[in-house]
Amino acid sequence: MQEISKLLRENGLKVTPQRLAIYNMLMNTDKHPSAETIYKELVVDNPSISLATVYKTLDSFKSSGLVSELNVGDNCARYDAVTKSHSHIVCTCCGRVEDIKFDIFNNISEKAAEKTDYKILYEQLIFYGLCPECIKKQND
Ligand SMILES: [Zn+2]
Ligand SMILES: [Zn+2]
């Protein structure tokens, strides 16, 4: 939590127990939770937290560049403490969102910039499909 307090202060954010809890949760998950998921998990140990606080906190984290927001198309933003650009894969059946951790997409922004003469600000690469568990369930 020391580290997180420092990080929040460095980014001009006041340190509050709610902010610490939310960032800590995001840092320790690779599940890309939505605001509702974050709220439901945190309210168990932090009864004073509200969904509105979670939304507000995520907004300030986003503006400070501490988290990235991912819109996977189900009208529900997902949040990621990994802000370095990376690709995602989404299961259209259960809604899970995972990182794609191989490097065929390395330097994809540079390549796009080269071909288009744009200055690329960010990229978002999302693949949609069925996860292995959902495929298994369908075959059962
Ligand atoms: Zn699935
Ligand atoms: Zn991610």
Side-chain angles (χ1 to χ4, degrees):
M1 289 294 186
Q2 280 279 317
E3 291 276 289
I4 302 176
S5 303
K6 200 172 149 236
L7 189 71
L8 292 180
R9 272 195 295 267
E10 280 171 0
N11 283 278
L13 294 172
K14 227 172 73 191
V15 179
T16 66
Q18 287 92 343
R19 284 181 173 166
L20 288 176
I22 293 169
Y23 193 80
N24 185 52
M25 181 202 164
L26 277 171
M27 228 176 60
N28 289 297
T29 182
D30 56 5
K31 292 205 164 73
H32 306 84
S34 65
E36 281 84 1
T37 311
I38 296 171
Y39 168 70
K40 278 183 201 146
E41 191 170 318
L42 290 181
V43 76
V44 179
D45 294 320
N46 308 267
S48 66
I49 210 163
S50 70
L51 185 57
T53 307
V54 173
Y55 274 115
K56 255 189 278 167
T57 303
L58 289 169
D59 254 357
S60 45
F61 284 174
K62 208 175 64 182
S63 326
S64 319
L66 285 173
V67 302
S68 55
E69 187 185 70
L70 190 68
N71 199 327
V72 296
D74 52 3
N75 275 327
C76 151
R78 307 293 202 97
Y79 295 90
D80 198 341
V82 179
T83 50
K84 194 175 164 285
S85 125
H86 60 287
S87 314
H88 292 96
I89 190 156
V90 179
C91 178
T92 55
C93 182
C94 66
R96 81 160 72 177
V97 180
E98 295 185 76
D99 292 336
I100 299 186
K101 287 187 182 113
F102 48 85
D103 54 11
I104 56 168
F105 305 119
N106 275 359
N107 308 321
I108 197 164
S109 281
E110 281 88 335
K111 285 173 198 149
E114 238 169 68
K115 298 273 184 212
T116 61
D117 290 332
Y118 272 57
K119 174 180 173 351
I120 308 292
L121 300 175
Y122 61 91
E123 92 241 356
Q124 200 173 64
L125 206 54
I126 307 177
F127 294 81
Y128 295 88
L130 292 175
C131 73
E133 273 170 42
C134 287
I135 295 173
K136 232 175 90 196
K137 266 183 228 148
Q138 287 193 342
N139 292 337
D140 278 347

